[in-house]
Amino acid sequence: MAKFFEGESHTFSEYLLVPGYSSAENIPANVSLKTPLVKFKRGEKSAIELNIPMVSAVMQSVSGPRLAIALAQQGGIAFIYGSQSAEDEAQMVREVKSYKAGFVVSDSTLTPEMTLGEVLDLKEKTGHSTMPVTDDGTSRGKLVGIVTSRDYRPSRDDRSKLVSEFMTPADKLITAAEDTTLKEANDIIWDNKLNTLPIVDKNGHLVSLVFRKDYDSHKSAPDELLDDSKRYMVGAGINTRDYETRVPLLVEAGADVLCIDSSEGYSEWQKRTLEWVRATYGDSVKIGAGNVVDAEGFRFLAEAGADFIKIGIGGGSICITREQKGIGRGQATSVIDVARARDQYFEETGVYIPICSDGGIVYDYHMTLALAMGSDFMMLGRYFARFDESPSDRVIVNGSYMKEYWGEGSARARNWQRYDLGGNKRGLSFVEGVDSYVPYAGPLKDGVEASLLKVKSTMCNCGALDIPELRDKAKITLVSSTSIVEGGAHDVLLKDSNQQVSYNFRS
């Protein structure tokens, strides 16, 4: 007879935190969100600690080099998607590791023959108004000029006007040599009252750009996640098919941590992958595994050698695994169950294996609940897909800015390895993800800071100044459907810009 779990399977929205005593010390400025990423022994520290409890999902529409850099600047880590060739993934990892803070490689490069219309279209797509002009339109071509929003008037200029007619030519630009330090570049910008400084090599080819606006943002990023060589840290996704060729390339490229990207982790295939990594690299290569939804799955991956374990099946906003296969479990219930197993394993072995809540985060307060229920950090897809730095296109849908977002189990991604059940079959038999849009949310930095301020504030309400203390002090209650309605605005008519209101002033 089938095994039946006692009680219902719950989601984060079915719980609330009950406030605890807050002292005068409980203010957001005093809260630390530092958390371990990989396992460690009792009395020791984790080899990798995140400064914020956020990692990005192993997805084509989420984790590219640009987002990896932006997230590392905030203190988290991105996992470059593995549904591409091993060589291309390694190159993305290499791009993040070789990035010099403050030196931006252009992703909006023009040629002199392009038109104003094309400039405006590119600006609409990327959101960037400063665009270098190179002879071949690549980010490493010979610099021939630069275009900013001050060089044209969209309301008056002909859209067929060529870039060569309104750009500022290279001979009128102030540039700096390839070996210029960031401090020297910023001094040049300030001394010459520039907004942008192109960095070029000895042959006049564009290398990167330094922006005035990035100076303040760099100074205001004390939580940057850096390795021992002061390079940004980055992770990479792998599968259980080609790990023997993919892992060496990713390690050589400098990946700080790997993650087996799979819809279901309680399998022999993940065990084989973990055993090969341990046999080949020992403990020098850090690798997470998953996903699981109960204590049994956690114990299996812990004993197989995982450095962290991901929780969640079917809870992602673009995931339809539960709908297609009837497999999964409510995310909150899964986290609670696995967290208990993690603590029990720690008591038995003295080894602490961090757990990651992957999926089910709809609102910012769900993050605090996930941490209070036992998660060490969260893997987020939809959340990061909304930002400027995600790889997907920004589009207009029904008059609103949106970003494209698709699941790895969708026909668009065709990431069959993530849903692989072994055997000789290749390809997706049926989809387990959808192709969709999410509301555009601007720069990652602004969004993450706003979300984490809410997390810190709520932790203060619970009397906690760090994540372990939150787990110890949190008081959590289930809520009824009526209580959920009560929690939002109710019994009022919300103001709307389209409403027609007449005021009856008293005389």
Side-chain angles (χ1 to χ4, degrees):
M1 183 177 177
K3 174 182 178 180
F4 288 85
F5 285 88
E6 296 295 326
E8 296 176 328
S9 175
H10 296 286
T11 66
F12 292 129
S13 288
E14 296 175 79
Y15 290 92
L16 286 175
L17 285 155
V18 176
Y21 171 72
S22 300
S23 73
E25 293 297 310
N26 290 120
I27 59 174
N30 291 339
V31 174
S32 168
L33 294 177
K34 188 178 287 289
T35 190
L37 177 67
V38 297
K39 68 183 178 184
F40 57 95
K41 294 180 180 178
R42 182 182 281 112
E44 299 180 355
K45 281 183 60 177
S46 174
I48 305 176
E49 289 187 322
L50 301 171
N51 291 323
I52 62 172
M54 289 179 162
V55 304
S56 69
V58 191
M59 299 175 68
Q60 295 174 10
S61 56
V62 178
S63 294
R66 190 173 167 221
L67 186 128
I69 292 166
L71 184 51
Q73 288 171 339
Q74 298 307 305
I77 197 166
F79 284 89
I80 300 297
Y81 64 92
S83 50
Q84 57 179 322
S85 73
E87 292 76 13
D88 287 346
E89 185 182 8
Q91 180 54 38
M92 286 190 177
V93 169
R94 202 171 288 112
E95 186 176 330
V96 178
K97 300 304 292 187
S98 63
Y99 178 81
K100 292 170 64 179
F103 293 82
V104 179
V105 177
S106 175
D107 64 353
S108 303
T109 311
L110 309 172
T111 66
E113 295 78 26
M114 292 176 70
T115 64
L116 174 58
E118 291 174 301
V119 172
L120 296 175
D121 289 342
L122 188 57
K123 180 182 177 182
E124 184 75 24
K125 178 181 177 180
T126 65
H128 300 153
S129 58
T130 298
M131 304 179 189
V133 186
T134 62
D135 59 348
D136 59 2
T138 69
S139 61
R140 295 303 297 262
K142 186 175 181 62
L143 182 67
V144 296
I146 199 165
V147 169
T148 72
S149 57
R150 293 176 297 179
D151 294 320
Y152 55 84
R153 292 182 294 179
S155 60
R156 296 189 183 184
D157 290 344
D158 189 341
R159 288 178 63 92
S160 63
K161 191 174 183 180
L162 297 179
V163 165
S164 59
E165 298 177 45
F166 58 86
M167 70 180 187
T168 301
D171 59 7
K172 293 186 178 180
L173 294 176
I174 295 174
T175 62
E178 189 173 9
D179 59 355
T180 302
T181 66
L182 184 58
K183 182 182 184 305
E184 292 169 339
N186 282 316
D187 287 342
I188 295 171
I189 287 174
W190 254 256
D191 292 344
N192 294 278
K193 299 180 180 180
L194 304 175
N195 288 321
T196 310
L197 177 68
I199 306 297
V200 297
D201 65 18
K202 60 183 180 181
N203 297 316
H205 288 82
L206 180 65
V207 175
S208 58
L209 303 167
V210 179
F211 294 92
R212 173 187 288 264
K213 64 181 177 61
D214 285 346
Y215 176 81
D216 291 332
S217 63
H218 181 61
K219 288 294 184 183
S220 63
D223 291 328
E224 288 180 318
L225 194 65
L226 305 172
D227 64 16
D228 293 338
S229 301
K230 304 299 182 184
R231 301 175 301 175
Y232 288 127
M233 300 190 79
V234 62
I238 66 170
N239 61 65
T240 58
R241 284 278 186 172
D242 67 0
Y243 52 86
E244 293 186 13
T245 55
R246 186 176 294 267
V247 170
L249 290 175
L250 295 174
V251 171
E252 188 275 332
D256 297 283
V257 59
L258 306 176
C259 180
I260 303 175
D261 180 35
S262 173
S263 64
E264 205 279 297
Y266 192 180
S267 75
E268 180 180 346
W269 309 109
Q270 293 222 3
K271 182 180 180 182
R272 288 185 185 182
T273 306
L274 291 167
E275 288 176 344
W276 181 87
V277 169
R278 292 290 170 248
T280 307
Y281 297 99
D283 291 329
S284 64
V285 168
K286 306 304 181 184
I287 178 170
N291 287 16
V292 298
V293 293
D294 65 1
E296 197 174 304
F298 170 86
R299 174 71 65 156
F300 173 80
L301 290 177
E303 293 176 349
D307 282 298
F308 66 85
I309 294 172
K310 292 200 295 142
I311 308 163
I313 294 176
S317 59
I318 41 67
C319 183
I320 55 173
T321 293
R322 297 181 195 173
E323 181 181 303
Q324 292 281 61
K325 298 168 66 175
I327 290 286
R329 198 179 191 190
Q331 189 68 6
T333 301
S334 300
V335 169
I336 293 168
D337 194 6
V338 173
R340 286 174 179 153
R342 183 265 321 275
D343 294 343
Q344 182 180 348
Y345 187 84
F346 179 55
E347 288 300 315
E348 293 176 8
T349 66
V351 176
Y352 186 93
I353 302 179
I355 57 176
C356 167
S357 179
D358 178 16
I361 303 289
V362 181
Y363 305 108
D364 288 344
Y365 82 89
H366 289 173
M367 299 181 189
T368 320
L369 278 168
L371 297 172
M373 289 174 178
S375 297
D376 294 281
F377 56 96
M378 299 152 293
M379 178 170 278
L380 305 165
R382 179 196 61 85
Y383 179 86
F384 287 120
R386 304 172 303 144
F387 297 129
D388 281 326
E389 294 86 353
S390 74
S392 64
D393 289 333
R394 186 177 68 170
V395 296
I396 297 177
V397 179
N398 295 331
S400 298
Y401 282 115
M402 310 289 282
K403 290 274 283 187
E404 292 184 303
Y405 179 46
W406 59 95
E408 289 297 292
S410 68
R412 179 171 183 174
R414 309 195 71 80
N415 183 10
W416 65 270
Q417 294 97 333
R418 189 175 197 276
Y419 302 87
D420 185 23
L421 293 176
N424 296 321
K425 186 174 178 58
R426 301 288 196 274
L428 286 170
S429 299
F430 51 87
V431 298
E432 294 188 43
V434 300
D435 198 342
S436 62
Y437 301 103
V438 289
Y440 167 67
L444 179 145
K445 178 179 184 293
D446 295 345
V448 167
E449 287 180 350
S451 295
L452 293 184
L453 179 58
K454 296 178 190 178
V455 172
K456 290 180 178 181
S457 179
T458 307
M459 289 173 63
C460 289
N461 293 143
C462 297
L465 291 177
D466 58 37
I467 294 172
E469 188 177 17
L470 173 66
R471 287 203 291 265
D472 290 340
K473 291 186 173 180
K475 297 183 290 184
I476 302 174
T477 182
L478 267 169
V479 297
S480 67
S481 57
T482 305
S483 180
I484 293 173
V485 173
E486 180 187 59
H490 60 91
D491 299 317
V492 294
L493 178 64
L494 296 177
K495 289 185 176 181
D496 189 308
S497 59
N498 295 321
Q499 289 173 342
Q500 293 183 351
V501 180
S502 298
Y503 289 91
N504 185 12
F505 295 103
R506 297 188 181 206
S507 57

